[in-house]
């Protein structure tokens, strides 16, 4: 699929946001390390294992958090191993989440 899409449009980037490779494959049958993705962002929505998940983030394009984890922004921004941060609105209202994020980072 990736090859066909890139053949049609070489400028397209195939990015994925998923759990770490172990969880992805074991619990979701998602073998994304073999999917030839251009960039991978690791979902770290569970605060219970947040620190454990960070070891996967350093080898990826970045981290994905929910708006419920804005309390972690300073820690993530100051972490040199984190290249990018994606924020997903847990309430389905991306405009409100973007507004809150902007206020927090001004």
């Amino acid at each position: 699929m990736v090859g066909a899409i890139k053949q049609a449009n070489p400028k397209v980037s195939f990015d994925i946001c998923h759990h770490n490779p172990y969880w992805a494959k074991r619990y979701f049958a998602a073998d994304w390390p073999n999917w030839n993705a251009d960039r991978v962002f690791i979902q770290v929505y569970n605060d219970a294992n947040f620190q454990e998940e960070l070891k996967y983030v350093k080898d990826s394009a970045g981290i994905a958090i929910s708006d419920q984890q804005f309390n972690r922004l300073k820690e993530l921004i100051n972490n040199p191993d984190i290249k990018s941060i994606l924020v997903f609105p847990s309430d389905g209202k991306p405009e409100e989440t973007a507004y809150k994020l902007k206020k927090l980072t001004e």
Side-chain angles (χ1 to χ4, degrees), residues 20 23 42-58 62-77 79 82 84-87:
N20 73 58
W23 277 83
I42 304 296
Q43 291 177 357
V44 186
Y45 300 156
N46 184 349
D47 276 335
N49 64 344
F50 195 89
Q51 295 303 320
E52 181 69 19
E53 292 290 322
L54 284 180
K55 69 182 180 184
Y56 295 100
V57 173
K58 70 179 182 175
I63 188 171
I65 63 171
S66 78
D67 54 354
Q68 302 297 312
Q69 296 169 299
F70 279 163
N71 61 308
R72 294 196 175 272
L73 278 176
K74 185 176 181 180
E75 166 192 357
L76 298 174
I77 290 169
N79 185 329
I82 297 176
S84 300
I85 302 170
L86 298 178
V87 177

Side-chain angles (χ1 to χ4, degrees), residues 10-106:
K11 294 181 181 179
V12 170
S13 177
F14 183 71
D15 302 341
I16 187 168
C17 179
H18 212 294
H19 298 280
N20 73 58
Y22 170 79
W23 277 83
K25 191 169 185 177
R26 179 169 179 161
Y27 296 103
F28 299 98
D31 189 14
W32 62 255
N34 292 313
W35 290 354
N36 198 25
D38 294 309
R39 296 183 308 168
V40 174
F41 297 85
I42 304 296
Q43 291 177 357
V44 186
Y45 300 156
N46 184 349
D47 276 335
N49 64 344
F50 195 89
Q51 295 303 320
E52 181 69 19
E53 292 290 322
L54 284 180
K55 69 182 180 184
Y56 295 100
V57 173
K58 70 179 182 175
D59 295 325
S60 72
I63 188 171
I65 63 171
S66 78
D67 54 354
Q68 302 297 312
Q69 296 169 299
F70 279 163
N71 61 308
R72 294 196 175 272
L73 278 176
K74 185 176 181 180
E75 166 192 357
L76 298 174
I77 290 169
N78 291 326
N79 185 329
D81 290 331
I82 297 176
K83 301 168 193 84
S84 300
I85 302 170
L86 298 178
V87 177
F88 287 92
S90 58
D91 60 5
K93 299 177 182 175
E95 294 86 2
E96 290 180 22
T97 299
Y99 178 79
K100 291 175 189 173
L101 180 60
K102 182 178 180 185
K103 287 295 183 188
L104 287 170
T105 57
E106 286 182 334

